Amino acid sequence: MNEFVRKFETVEQPWSQGEFENQIRAVGTERYHDKHEFHKMLHGGKLNKGQVAAWALNRYCYQEAVPRKDAALMSRVYDREFRREWIHRVHDHDGLLPEEHGGIERWLKLTDYLGLEREYVTGMRGALPVTRFAVEAYVRFVVEQPLVVAVASSLTELFAPSIHRERIAGMLANYNFVNDDVMAYFKRRLTQAPRDATFALEFIKSNARTREMQEACVAAVRFKCDVLWAQLDALHLAYVMGMIPPGAYRPE
Amino acid sequence: MNEFVRKFETVEQPWSQGEFENQIRAVGTERYHDKHEFHKMLHGGKLNKGQVAAWALNRYCYQEAVPRKDAALMSRVYDREFRREWIHRVHDHDGLLPEEHGGIERWLKLTDYLGLEREYVTGMRGALPVTRFAVEAYVRFVVEQPLVVAVASSLTELFAPSIHRERIAGMLANYNFVNDDVMAYFKRRLTQAPRDATFALEFIKSNARTREMQEACVAAVRFKCDVLWAQLDALHLAYVMGMIPPGAYRPE
């Protein structure tokens, strides 16, 4: 996995914090998954219910992995204040109290509404293998990379609110099989993601002090975009092009 | 990653060794990657040189990972005899002496011949992210699963010789940009794979003693088929359908 972050041969001056942030943001412009054809189809009302269900089923695997990823990251941190800040990401997904539910439960509301059995969704047997490979690569990444680089990989959250705003509007306008209630996940992320991203961005700005570390952080955001992009590629081949791999979900 | 192997709720009688082997072999019939459209195109002469180069470039990542996978597996084994048997897999790929080269060097002969720069191939920057995700999932699998299940995941080698025989004939007949010399990798595997597969098959037959373990071994072969299938899916979308992800190799 180390090879995901490429090595640089010359020692260069660190970027200023402003330039560093620009480099991070430029990755989003270049390869965040809002540029993917499948996304455009999803938001533009071009998918049928089975295709949206396939997306929600697969995307569940990503939601499911995120608190494990955050716990893995926290397991490496010796600073109590950092952990206290980071732990609310786990609460956001899992819910702090049973009645609070959290993001994963909100996601299951969406898959319920799309007609998928809960056990089928949470068992993940119908998910595309690539989805699992990609999200587990993300979990491993935060275990194996230097901590500041691991934190940087979360920074696709900088680009998330605009995609979520667009998704809520696009999906509500275009599909009669979603409603305001089942879009709750994305509404909640509109406020959660910017808070998380601000903390992570400030952390890497202060802690990536060499040019090499800064470039590794930029590469981490690129890696994370690849994780997201790969999931849409697989959905596109299977559910738009019709090449569903053996054993994967088949819409009726 | 544990979830890749599904859990079974009822305790059943173990299969006989013969039935166990049949179950393993049935996975190949159902989902080995010789059934994939991209494979049929590769062997049938339906790809151009750039598409074959994309395949060879990506498949290099798999070759590169295999000795790391085998070393990871060996690192868990307390039996010296087992390790002495298994280590020749590493030699087969890396070469025991510098002048022997081994399978990875033979693979690089193929990518040379297809016009790819060695540094570009071995740097893996142009490979599809999915290729990396899938092969690293395989490396992790042999670390995280019970040893007998980890060994079982190598058993796609049972199905390899026929695909290699078909590939050598098909590619030599159909492409003027390969020759006998660059197909050396596959020729060598015709004798290596059966030896390896026999040892691994005997090992799991003797060591998977409960039905649950046997089923986990069958699921491991299914997992490994998914690893191989996912790589061809990604190649198909990128280089047949033309949806090349950001940053990946673009044939001229």
Side-chain angles (χ1 to χ4, degrees), chain A residues 3-4 6 31 36 125 129-130 132-134 137 140 144 223 226-227 229-230 233 236-237 241 243 245-247, chain B residues 3-4 6 31 36 125 129-130 132-134 137 140 144 223 226-227 229-230 233 236-237 241 243 245-247:
Chain A
E3 297 296 325
F4 274 120
R6 69 191 176 93
R31 58 167 91 188
H36 198 286
R125 288 190 306 283
V130 165
R132 310 290 301 277
F133 299 155
R140 297 307 311 168
E144 292 171 357
F223 161 79
D226 289 347
V227 167
W229 192 277
D233 264 2
H236 199 86
L237 185 72
M241 306 291 196
M243 283 177 66
Chain B
E3 298 296 325
F4 274 119
R6 69 190 175 93
R31 57 167 93 188
H36 198 285
R125 288 190 305 283
V130 165
R132 310 291 301 278
F133 300 154
R140 298 306 311 167
E144 292 172 357
F223 160 80
D226 289 348
V227 167
W229 192 277
D233 264 1
H236 199 87
L237 185 72
M241 305 291 195
M243 283 179 64

